[in-house]
Amino acid sequence: ICICVIAVPEWVSCKKYEPNWESLDSRPLPEWYDSSKIGVFLHWGVFSVPSFINAWFPYSWKVDHGQAYIDFMAKNYKTNFTYADFAAQFTAEFYDPDHWADIFKASGAKYVVLTTKHHEGYTLWPSKYSSNWNAMDVGPSRDLVGDLATALRKQDLKFGAYHSWMEWLHPLYMEDKANKFKTRTFVTTKSRPEREELITRYKPDLLWSDGEYESPEEYWNSTDFLAWLYNDSPVKDTIVTNDRWGLGTNCKHGGYWSCNDKYNPGVVQPHKWENAMTIDSHAWAYRREAVFADFLTPKQIMLTLMQTVSCGGNLLINAGPTHDGRITPIFEERLRQMGSWLKRNGEAIYGSKPWVHQNDTITHDVWYTTNKGYVYASVHNWPTTGRVVLGALKYSTVKSVQLLDLKDSLTFTEVKTSGSTEVTFPVLNPDSDIQWAYVLKITTK
């Protein structure tokens, strides 16, 4: 018998979900996710040891036989060196999860998603389904997942677990793939029980499913897994999920939509969505060959943030830790810069909703949100004339305009030809640290 209690969050349901998309897609998305707006993504694993080009190193080297990878290995490693040999060098000796959590808290993010297992199959926790290929048995000799989850929760941050269904080089997966996914040995003996172990042991607030793209959802039996997750798992009422459950499910089924990497449609979507993007414009994992110009500037990050939130999405901003457990200064700086901006302008972001316009109709680097009855206009270039025209904002509706972080209201006038609003920006003290994007708080009549 299911007894509902009235004083519970609105997303908690006594409904029994059936293993089909009609039923599963009817599950409300837990409210914390939409109001959070910002998360940090971490790509960390054995691929962080070669730290060359991207996290797909083993696939690019051993399956695609990429010449750059072959040359890299020939130049730097002995002839019979295998990918598995890298695991002993995944040492994490400088890994301080409390320090990481401090950085993520300072970034203004509300949740953190860690790659607990990427497509290489190495688990960052001591999984009994990944014997001798996990962070306890080889490499750091510690539970990297559990340590981070604990540190994040001490900072009141939500813990998210990325987990890949597939493993490129696992013999059982390769056998199922050779059988055109008509057999499911890898799923039933490895991937599914491993995923349930992850959920049961660490009780994540978010499951970022991936590695589904080579095969249909029937192979993964994704609907059955989600029915267990939503009905019987220890996080059944609180877990947030994405949409990567098999071929054809992206942007269609699951919790929120992650669609494709760096998804940023520029317009409001009919469903909650996420823009998973990278600070390093070329890769998800740490790269030793990266140069300064490869990293997004703070201004680029703030623009991406406002575009995403204005259109109803969440931003999941990625950093790549090193094999020895460091968040390098460039990643830390960008995250802290985002946090300093959010301290001044967060009311335009957290808990906000899309306004009737997302992008301004005249000044195209202006993006809108609304929150608690106010309209917020994010201006991404300080106007050279000292004035900005807001074509989407009718003068007749405006009561006052304020630049966040400044006390005084701004002067605004009507553009007679269009009825839109022209706002005069203040003359700022040269020592002012307002930068990157400038948010106008607008009170309407």
Side-chain angles (χ1 to χ4, degrees), residues 173-277:
Y173 181 74
M174 294 171 71
E175 180 181 305
D176 285 349
K177 185 175 179 179
N179 293 333
K180 299 183 179 179
F181 300 110
K182 300 300 181 184
T183 56
R184 302 180 58 253
T185 308
F186 173 74
V187 179
T188 57
T189 63
K190 176 65 163 66
S191 195
R192 169 70 179 266
E194 181 182 80
R195 186 170 280 202
E196 290 189 11
E197 177 190 61
L198 175 68
I199 296 295
T200 302
R201 183 177 298 183
Y202 302 106
K203 301 175 179 59
D205 302 286
L206 187 152
L207 174 62
W208 215 98
S209 182
D210 198 18
E212 83 306 335
Y213 58 89
E214 289 190 337
S215 48
E217 61 180 89
E218 291 80 11
Y219 171 70
W220 302 113
N221 203 8
S222 293
T223 54
D224 183 75
F225 169 77
L226 284 170
W228 169 81
L229 187 66
Y230 294 166
N231 293 325
D232 303 313
S233 78
V235 290
K236 61 186 179 66
D237 292 324
T238 56
I239 191 77
V240 170
T241 63
N242 66 343
D243 58 350
R244 301 190 180 192
W245 302 105
L247 284 172
T249 62
N250 293 45
C251 255
K252 186 176 181 181
H253 294 302
Y256 65 85
W257 292 348
S258 55
C259 298
N260 46 59
D261 294 348
K262 302 182 182 180
Y263 180 65
N264 192 7
V267 293
V268 170
Q269 298 300 296
H271 193 85
K272 183 62 187 181
W273 61 279
E274 179 183 75
N275 178 4
M277 47 74 70

Side-chain angles (χ1 to χ4, degrees), residues 124-144:
L124 300 191
W125 81 96
S127 174
K128 65 181 180 181
Y129 300 100
S130 191
S131 179
N132 296 318
W133 192 233
N134 67 69
M136 187 64 76
D137 292 347
V138 57
S141 298
R142 65 186 290 188
D143 182 356
L144 304 178

Side-chain angles (χ1 to χ4, degrees), residues 95-144:
Y95 176 45
D96 181 349
D98 289 319
H99 177 59
W100 284 23
D102 286 340
I103 295 172
F104 305 146
K105 184 72 172 182
S107 76
K110 301 299 183 182
Y111 60 101
V112 177
V113 180
L114 172 68
T115 52
T116 65
K117 187 197 80 170
H118 201 252
H119 312 319
E120 64 183 6
Y122 181 91
T123 65
L124 300 191
W125 81 96
S127 174
K128 65 181 180 181
Y129 300 100
S130 191
S131 179
N132 296 318
W133 192 233
N134 67 69
M136 187 64 76
D137 292 347
V138 57
S141 298
R142 65 186 290 188
D143 182 356
L144 304 178

Side-chain angles (χ1 to χ4, degrees), residues 347 355 366 368 374-379 386-390 393-414 420-426 438-445:
E347 66 182 86
W355 191 47
V366 174
Y368 293 97
Y374 296 100
V375 175
Y376 296 88
S378 176
V379 182
R387 297 182 297 276
V388 63
V389 176
L390 303 178
L393 194 70
K394 294 300 179 184
Y395 173 80
S396 60
T397 68
V398 180
K399 185 175 181 180
S400 66
V401 180
Q402 178 187 357
L403 184 64
L404 286 186
D405 210 41
L406 297 181
K407 294 180 180 180
D408 297 333
S409 295
L410 304 183
T411 301
F412 59 96
T413 58
E414 182 178 12
S420 53
T421 304
E422 183 177 73
V423 178
T424 301
F425 272 52
Y438 313 95
V439 179
L440 301 174
K441 181 178 182 179
I442 301 158
T443 305
T444 55
K445 295 177 182 177

Side-chain angles (χ1 to χ4, degrees), residues 59-97:
Y59 185 90
S60 300
W61 175 31
K62 288 299 185 181
V63 181
D64 273 354
H65 304 293
Q67 193 60 50
Y69 300 86
I70 293 171
D71 293 344
F72 173 82
M73 292 303 299
K75 181 179 179 180
N76 297 289
Y77 296 90
K78 59 188 179 182
T79 303
N80 60 345
F81 197 92
T82 68
Y83 185 74
D85 291 330
F86 281 122
Q89 300 175 25
F90 182 57
T91 48
E93 66 266 31
F94 296 120
Y95 176 45
D96 181 349

Side-chain angles (χ1 to χ4, degrees), residues 275-438:
N275 178 4
M277 47 74 70
T278 60
I279 295 174
D280 177 350
S281 59
H282 296 299
W284 297 90
Y286 171 73
R287 297 183 300 132
R288 287 181 289 170
E289 78 275 17
V291 297
F292 182 76
D294 293 335
F295 296 90
L296 298 186
T297 66
K299 193 174 185 66
Q300 289 172 314
I301 291 172
M302 302 319 156
L303 175 58
T304 304
L305 171 62
M306 281 306 303
Q307 289 173 332
T308 300
V309 175
S310 293
C311 297
N314 276 25
L315 188 76
L316 186 61
I317 184 169
N318 181 80
T322 62
H323 78 281
D324 53 11
R326 292 174 294 117
I327 305 292
T328 55
I330 187 66
F331 286 123
E332 179 175 352
E333 181 184 49
R334 290 295 181 266
L335 291 173
R336 290 187 182 276
Q337 286 168 329
M338 182 175 70
S340 69
W341 185 87
L342 285 164
K343 281 184 179 179
R344 296 189 296 267
N345 301 291
E347 66 182 86
I349 303 296
Y350 303 118
S352 67
K353 300 293 182 184
W355 191 47
V356 291
H357 292 270
Q358 288 75 63
N359 193 200
D360 193 67
T361 56
I362 293 177
T363 307
H364 296 298
D365 62 348
V366 174
W367 293 82
Y368 293 97
T369 58
T370 183
N371 199 4
K372 297 180 180 179
Y374 296 100
V375 175
Y376 296 88
S378 176
V379 182
H380 286 270
N381 287 294
W382 188 271
T384 56
T385 62
R387 297 182 297 276
V388 63
V389 176
L390 303 178
L393 194 70
K394 294 300 179 184
Y395 173 80
S396 60
T397 68
V398 180
K399 185 175 181 180
S400 66
V401 180
Q402 178 187 357
L403 184 64
L404 286 186
D405 210 41
L406 297 181
K407 294 180 180 180
D408 297 333
S409 295
L410 304 183
T411 301
F412 59 96
T413 58
E414 182 178 12
V415 179
K416 298 299 184 181
T417 55
S418 62
S420 53
T421 304
E422 183 177 73
V423 178
T424 301
F425 272 52
V427 177
L428 294 180
N429 185 307
D431 294 331
S432 172
D433 63 352
I434 294 178
Q435 54 191 331
W436 304 320
Y438 313 95

